[in-house]
Amino acid sequence: MARIAFILLTHKDPEGLIAQAERLTAAGDFVSIHFDASAAPADFRKLHAALDPNPNVTFARKRLKCGWGEWSLVAATLEAVKAAVEDFPRATHFYMLSGDCMQIKTAKYAHDFLDAEEADYIESFDFFTSGWIKTGMKEDRLIYRHYFNERTQPKRFYASYNLQKRFGLAREVPADIQMMIGSQWWCLRRRTIEWVLDFTRTRPDVMKFFRTSWIPDETFFQTIVRHVVPESEIRTRTLTFLMFTDYGMPAHFYNDHYDLLLSQDYLFARKISAEASDLKARLGALWTQDDTGFAISNEGRALHAFLTGRGREGRRFAPRFWETESTLGRERTLIIVTCKKWHVAKRLVAELRKRHEVTAMEYIFDEMGELPDLGGIEKTKEKRNRHRRALMRMLFEHARTDRMLICLDPAAFDVIRDFAADKCETRLLEIECAFSDDYLAGHARRVGLAGQTTPPQVLEQVLPTIRADMAFESERLRDAEFEHFALMREDGSLEDNTRALVQTLDISFELAQELAQIEYLFKD
């Protein structure tokens, strides 16, 4: 059975660290602690006094003063790893943690998970081609030597960096090493850890290189593990669930995230808010439980992106050149039917086709419905949206018509606004539907915000936001004050809905009334 030696790097909160170590060792696992040498001596003495009696806890033999982005973080990790290897010969896996991490599964689940596959879990992507670094310094992290800390000594850091660039003092990456990058939160087998330690003793050239690289905790283990372990035995992922804000900072978890965390396909989560006392208590009691089942839905990151993205969506500030220089034509009429429930708009269009001659395309910018061969512009949704005016002009020409109807999701506001600004006559019919909680839950599953096993408590928390988001999309359309806009409502009167259909579709009153009275039109 798997026995885990947790490698714990921390610099504060001795009481929380003591509680964390006692929880993790209660199920027979081990903890090796590196407590920052710059922390208060009294805190370190408190740690020792509380944890020395625990045979499953050890401390790094050498304490280092650690700084963000420095080699000292890797050196401290290696010190804790060496102590764990020496003191815990029964440890099968070594799991990197911080004081802000907490378990989101039971020890039994974690042990069974690690026993199920002979593999190492570490993010390990090609440094130069993967695009893992989104902003800031990239290859310059490696090819220049960094002797100062950017955060504590910014003037010296950039003076040294700029001097090296000015005098061409760039260095080469060790020739036989493929530089990799990834999260510093890994879980490695004992054999792998021993190979890494052997590497540190036999390759002083590589060690010297990493000592003056910048942010080596994101590259050192990620590179060396890939060098010493067969690729087939590496799972390029972390077992610690973490998310980042738009500003590149770790997102925090709070008391109402308990069900969300337990449903993720990870063993631990980072960062648990210091104020989330209820969450800490519930997660703390979880590790030693035996009979807890976990329904994995794994929608956490999609939910976070959805919830935090409301109200902060980017807007392009200039039309694309191929759109400004093209038009559908003054003599043409484009009818847009927009409805969040796609099946409702499709039913209306299908019934219209039965009773009236119309050229109609259903949600061609939202799904990959069949289109005629237009030279490749129709092959992907990305191409269709990027060249939307050109696509519509070609569809008009292919159909040899000056009137066409398309369906669009209300979320496609930029597309609707773009067509409304064209020289053609654009008519817009919004079909407003009622949304039950069951429908919204199904919508969340269809778009990846939830899975079939997402806990009901998580869905209950996100449904109001989804409902508000749909209301926002509708309000945005009406606030835009498009010239030819009409509204058809599920709960609207027959007279109002008939008038909206006549205005938009340019059909007879009798036909519009017939369409407005279709009994199954709004059925889910």
Side-chain angles (χ1 to χ4, degrees):
M1 183 186 79
R3 300 283 297 277
I4 307 170
F6 292 100
I7 308 303
L8 196 51
L9 260 60
T10 186
H11 63 282
K12 61 180 181 179
D13 188 20
E15 292 84 2
L17 182 56
I18 292 167
Q20 185 181 29
E22 290 176 342
R23 282 195 304 267
L24 293 176
T25 57
D29 294 300
F30 311 99
V31 172
S32 179
I33 300 171
H34 179 278
F35 196 68
D36 200 307
S38 60
D43 288 346
F44 187 60
R45 289 194 295 269
K46 183 183 295 185
L47 275 179
H48 259 293
L51 296 175
D52 276 348
N54 189 333
N56 284 14
V57 176
T58 192
F59 291 86
R61 309 292 190 260
K62 182 180 179 182
R63 293 174 61 204
L64 304 171
K65 292 183 178 180
C66 298
W68 186 90
E70 293 181 6
W71 168 254
S72 55
L73 286 174
V74 178
T77 303
L78 289 171
E79 290 297 326
V81 165
K82 292 173 186 176
V85 169
E86 181 178 342
D87 293 347
F88 306 132
R90 296 169 60 197
T92 62
H93 293 75
F94 294 74
Y95 197 124
M96 182 75 177
L97 283 180
S98 78
D100 296 321
C101 299
M102 286 198 73
Q103 61 275 6
I104 56 175
K105 298 291 186 294
T106 62
K108 182 180 185 305
Y109 183 101
H111 295 155
D112 290 345
F113 181 97
L114 295 176
D115 280 335
E117 193 171 13
E118 188 65 25
D120 296 304
Y121 296 88
I122 181 170
E123 282 193 354
S124 182
F125 304 99
D126 187 276
F127 185 95
F128 297 100
T129 63
S130 66
W132 194 86
I133 301 174
K134 302 301 181 185
T135 60
M137 190 181 292
K138 296 185 180 180
E139 62 269 14
D140 287 3
R141 290 188 185 189
L142 306 175
I143 64 175
Y144 296 109
R145 299 159 184 84
H146 302 280
Y147 301 105
F148 305 100
N149 189 294
E150 182 190 26
R151 294 189 173 184
T152 60
Q153 298 174 295
K155 290 183 178 179
R156 291 181 176 179
F157 178 91
Y158 284 106
S160 171
Y161 169 56
N162 290 327
L163 281 172
Q164 291 179 72
K165 291 181 68 176
R166 179 179 177 183
F167 291 105
L169 299 179
R171 59 180 176 177
E172 296 291 333
V173 174
D176 62 332
I177 296 293
Q178 180 185 6
M179 290 300 304
M180 310 298 287
I181 191 167
S183 167
Q184 63 269 52
W185 311 110
W186 40 255
C187 179
L188 304 176
R189 295 166 295 172
R190 185 181 194 92
R191 183 186 67 178
T192 300
I193 285 291
E194 291 172 346
W195 285 346
V196 169
L197 292 178
D198 286 343
F199 185 95
T200 66
R201 291 187 287 265
T202 59
R203 291 297 302 269
D205 58 321
V206 177
M207 298 299 288
K208 181 180 179 181
F209 175 86
F210 276 109
R211 283 192 182 97
T212 52
S213 65
W214 184 235
I215 321 182
D217 55 317
E218 293 179 350
T219 56
F220 179 78
F221 285 95
Q222 296 77 1
T223 299
I224 307 308
V225 169
R226 182 71 67 169
H227 187 76
V228 300
V229 175
E231 184 176 1
S232 61
E233 297 180 17
I234 297 175
R235 303 296 171 262
T236 308
R237 57 161 295 189
T238 174
L239 296 181
T240 299
F241 180 59
L242 66 161
M243 298 186 297
F244 290 90
T245 68
D246 291 348
Y247 307 102
M249 300 300 291
H252 286 68
F253 299 107
Y254 298 92
N255 289 334
D256 57 351
H257 286 135
Y258 180 79
D259 294 301
L260 174 70
L261 291 175
L262 264 60
S263 65
Q264 304 311 304
D265 187 21
Y266 297 84
L267 305 183
F268 284 76
R270 183 181 188 272
K271 291 183 168 187
I272 308 301
S273 170
E275 290 77 31
S277 54
D278 290 345
L279 178 61
K280 286 184 175 182
R282 297 178 74 184
L283 293 178
L286 184 64
W287 187 247
T288 54
Q289 295 179 13
D290 292 326
D291 57 352
T292 302
F294 298 94
I296 305 300
S297 54
N298 221 31
E299 74 293 334
R301 287 196 173 92
L303 271 178
H304 180 264
F306 171 76
L307 294 171
T308 58
R310 301 307 92 191
R312 291 188 289 138
E313 296 168 335
R315 297 283 184 266
R316 21 172 245 203
F317 34 90
R320 307 300 190 189
F321 73 88
W322 52 79
E323 294 167 358
T324 55
E325 296 177 4
S326 64
T327 177
L328 306 190
R330 293 181 184 276
E331 73 284 358
R332 288 175 171 152
T333 299
L334 176 65
I335 300 168
I336 300 174
V337 177
T338 181
C339 183
K340 199 67 183 181
K341 293 185 176 180
W342 294 4
H343 62 276
V344 174
K346 290 180 177 181
R347 286 172 185 167
L348 178 66
V349 171
E351 293 297 335
L352 178 63
R353 282 197 184 105
K354 293 178 184 178
R355 299 165 170 81
H356 186 73
E357 186 175 346
V358 60
T359 302
M361 305 286 178
E362 300 171 353
Y363 290 97
I364 59 173
F365 294 100
D366 300 293
E367 61 181 356
M368 287 302 296
E370 288 189 14
L371 291 180
D373 185 354
L374 302 174
I377 196 174
E378 80 289 351
K379 294 296 186 183
T380 67
K381 286 191 294 183
E382 289 75 15
K383 285 186 176 181
R384 294 182 185 187
N385 280 274
R386 188 183 308 127
H387 307 290
R388 48 182 172 261
R389 289 197 191 186
L391 175 73
M392 289 307 305
R393 190 173 65 252
M394 294 170 76
L395 286 173
F396 272 110
E397 293 168 356
H398 184 273
R400 298 181 180 179
T401 182
D402 289 333
R403 295 174 60 83
M404 187 173 295
L405 182 153
I406 65 172
C407 299
L408 285 174
D409 191 288
F413 181 72
D414 282 349
V415 179
I416 295 170
R417 183 173 57 181
D418 190 31
F419 284 139
D422 192 86
K423 294 177 182 179
C424 74
E425 180 179 319
T426 303
R427 300 181 184 180
L428 179 62
L429 173 66
E430 181 190 359
I431 305 178
E432 182 184 86
C433 302
F435 300 107
S436 66
D437 284 351
D438 285 343
Y439 176 84
L440 292 180
H443 173 78
R445 294 186 182 98
R446 286 190 293 275
V447 299
L449 296 176
Q452 294 302 320
T453 56
T454 297
Q457 299 91 329
V458 174
L459 270 176
E460 288 173 8
Q461 291 175 345
V462 77
L463 289 188
T465 304
I466 297 176
R467 189 183 298 278
D469 201 54
M470 292 181 175
F472 164 76
E473 292 173 356
S474 183
E475 288 297 323
R476 182 171 56 179
L477 287 173
R478 295 169 206 180
D479 291 342
E481 298 182 348
F482 294 119
E483 183 178 358
H484 303 289
F485 175 83
L487 179 62
M488 180 180 183
R489 288 189 168 98
E490 181 174 353
D491 57 357
S493 68
L494 176 60
E495 181 181 357
D496 287 343
N497 286 346
T498 299
R499 188 182 305 113
L501 290 170
V502 169
Q503 176 183 333
T504 307
L505 304 180
D506 197 18
I507 56 179
S508 67
F509 182 86
E510 292 76 16
L511 176 54
Q513 190 173 56
E514 186 179 342
L515 292 172
Q517 294 183 95
I518 295 173
E519 184 177 355
Y520 74 96
L521 184 62
F522 290 97
K523 297 290 185 183
D524 288 334

